[in-house]
Amino acid sequence: MDTRQEILTAREIELFQAMPGNSALLLADAPSFTIAAVTEGYLEIAGRNRNDLIGKGLFAAFPNSPDDPEETSEKRLRASLEQAITNKEPHRLPLHRYDITTDDGSFDERWWSAVNSPVLDGNGKVIYIIHSAEDVTHKVKAEQRENRIHDLEESHSLFMQAPVAIGIAKGSEYIIELANDSLLEVWGRSADVIGKPLFDAIPELNGQGYRELLDQVCTTGEPFY
């Protein structure tokens, strides 16, 4: 066992584990950053039990997601830990994504706010790092939804005010999702057609080759001018 880990007594480990918040006590043994102790809050947000973590390197316990082939998440966290050791002062990570594995082995998208704080011995040497993390996934995803809604609202506004006739139809029945005022005027229809199949709402289009034309665009993926 690493002698640095033996500095902690069983009582000290118990006290750390009983601390409030979501923290892991890591050895300053880069590149492993072995997990020496974890709080109950950390186990809860990580979805792990203590036996899964104690004695393992941080990045062995939490491998990088295959959706991040450049290992950007791991590199960012490593850099923060190393900076805490080098500067001997806490380093706060910017809001960052680090996905973690679930029970079925898949990766779950997670966003974190984290601080890495060095623990020094009597000689001023960093022997531990307290890695404290807050799961802010719910907040980030809520903001992302709000941004998407805002973008959709802006797009809808531009679409509806376009100086040309524009419509959007979806699916094999060409359900009318959007039609701006210019197109409704061309059709001689009101907004009541929204949500109806195109060829039911505008029956005069039948028999003129329009369905075949739309089918061709959908099948080939090529535009028709």
Side-chain angles (χ1 to χ4, degrees):
M1 180 180 293
D2 191 304
T3 56
R4 288 171 294 183
Q5 188 170 357
E6 292 176 346
I7 294 174
L8 280 180
T9 65
R11 179 56 177 163
E12 288 170 333
I13 291 176
E14 289 177 359
L15 289 173
F16 184 88
Q17 292 175 167
M19 285 173 51
N22 315 317
S23 298
L25 185 66
L26 312 176
L27 299 183
D29 60 346
S32 295
F33 298 105
T34 303
I35 302 170
V38 290
T39 64
E40 291 295 333
Y42 190 86
L43 292 174
E44 183 176 345
I45 64 169
R48 299 288 193 278
N49 61 57
R50 198 163 267 108
N51 292 334
D52 292 334
L53 302 180
I54 302 303
K56 292 184 178 179
L58 181 64
F59 300 101
F62 299 102
N64 200 71
S65 168
D67 292 333
D68 181 18
E70 299 298 321
E71 299 184 349
T72 304
S73 299
E74 180 176 325
K75 289 176 181 176
R76 187 180 292 119
L77 179 52
R78 280 190 182 278
S80 176
L81 293 167
E82 290 167 358
Q83 188 165 333
I85 293 174
T86 300
N87 297 337
K88 298 183 179 181
E89 60 183 28
H91 181 262
R92 178 175 290 277
L93 269 167
L95 187 68
H96 67 288
R97 178 175 173 176
Y98 198 111
D99 298 348
I100 62 175
T101 52
T102 60
D103 291 339
D104 63 4
S106 62
F107 281 80
D108 186 32
E109 179 182 340
R110 296 289 189 90
W111 290 84
W112 307 91
S113 173
V115 179
N116 295 306
S117 304
V119 178
L120 282 61
D121 64 11
N123 298 317
K125 181 180 180 180
V126 178
I127 53 174
Y128 296 106
I129 300 171
I130 298 176
H131 172 63
S132 301
E134 179 186 359
D135 186 349
V136 293
T137 306
H138 180 75
K139 179 181 178 182
V140 169
K141 288 189 174 182
E143 291 176 350
Q144 289 174 342
R145 284 194 296 271
E146 289 177 3
N147 290 336
R148 284 196 294 268
I149 291 171
H150 177 71
D151 290 343
L152 287 172
E153 288 175 343
E154 284 194 340
S155 299
H156 181 270
S157 177
L158 290 171
F159 177 89
M160 297 304 291
Q161 296 178 45
V164 293
I166 300 177
I168 296 177
K170 182 178 180 180
S172 60
E173 294 300 314
Y174 303 109
I175 305 299
I176 303 169
E177 289 202 332
L178 287 174
N180 65 4
D181 290 341
S182 297
L183 183 57
L184 292 175
E185 184 177 348
V186 170
W187 283 344
R189 298 295 194 278
S190 69
D192 291 342
V193 298
I194 304 300
K196 296 180 180 179
L198 175 64
F199 294 96
D200 290 346
I202 320 292
E204 54 266 38
L205 294 177
N206 287 294
Q208 297 192 50
Y210 285 110
R211 180 181 289 275
E212 292 76 12
L213 176 63
L214 294 177
D215 288 345
Q216 177 184 330
V217 170
C218 289
T219 301
T220 66
E222 298 176 357
F224 179 88
Y225 298 96

